[in-house]
Amino acid sequence: MLNEPVSTIMTRSVQTLDLSAKLSEVRRALITHEFHHMPIVEASRLVGMVSWRDLVRAYRGARGADASDPFHIDEVLDQSARIEEAMTRELVTVRDDDPIDRAIDLIADAHVHSVLVLDSDEQLVGIVTDKDIVQYLSS
């Protein structure tokens, strides 16, 4: 059961944003899709991930400016940093043919909520979340 490939449980249609997007676009996408993090691509290649925590760090970095008004968070985020400065580049990934057990180990050991799934050409083809794994194990 756990030797099945992660491709059997991954979500295939992964929402991404381009590296040229603004942090305010990331914030809105996270809210709209109810995600915890957003994969960032450049020329269709995965280059990073922006999480809620990354947005908080960017906001905190701009506090010295006019960050006292929470209603201007998008302006503050966009002025504080570009995506490439705020995103995490050290990503936890698996291959689409890796066993589900590998995804379980990575999520548990790396203290992350998901792993990004790449194909043999290093293209982003899916995502497996901790919720996906628990649902799979309980089915």
Side-chain angles (χ1 to χ4, degrees):
M1 177 168 132
L2 297 178
N3 288 330
E4 288 185 64
V6 295
S7 61
T8 61
I9 66 167
M10 72 182 188
T11 300
R12 294 180 184 277
S13 56
V14 181
Q15 297 288 323
T16 63
L17 282 175
D18 191 79
L19 187 62
S20 63
K22 295 180 181 239
L23 288 178
S24 60
E25 294 175 69
V26 174
R27 186 192 68 78
R28 287 191 295 275
L30 291 174
I31 290 171
T32 300
H33 300 292
E34 298 181 357
F35 294 158
H36 296 281
H37 41 261
M38 178 64 63
I40 305 300
V41 297
E42 181 179 37
S44 300
R45 301 259 326 146
L46 180 65
V47 294
M49 181 92 79
V50 177
S51 68
W52 285 111
R53 183 178 303 130
D54 297 324
L55 294 180
V56 169
R57 286 180 183 142
Y59 182 84
R60 181 183 69 181
R63 261 196 315 218
D66 187 25
S68 59
D69 186 352
F71 298 107
H72 296 297
I73 187 164
D74 286 339
E75 291 173 30
V76 172
L77 287 173
D78 291 345
Q79 293 172 5
S80 68
R82 297 184 316 248
I83 283 184
E84 60 199 31
E85 297 165 332
M87 72 183 185
T88 300
R89 293 180 183 271
E90 294 91 30
L91 304 174
V92 181
T93 64
V94 294
R95 296 288 287 274
D96 55 356
D97 57 354
D98 281 341
I100 293 170
D101 201 38
R102 176 156 168 69
I104 291 170
D105 289 343
L106 287 170
I107 287 173
D109 293 343
H111 305 286
V112 294
H113 296 283
S114 66
V115 291
L116 296 163
V117 184
L118 306 176
D119 65 12
S120 59
D121 294 325
E122 299 293 311
Q123 294 292 309
L124 179 64
V125 294
I127 189 168
V128 174
T129 67
D130 46 9
K131 182 179 176 182
D132 296 329
I133 289 172
V134 172
Q135 287 177 329
Y136 173 75
L137 294 173
S138 64
S139 63

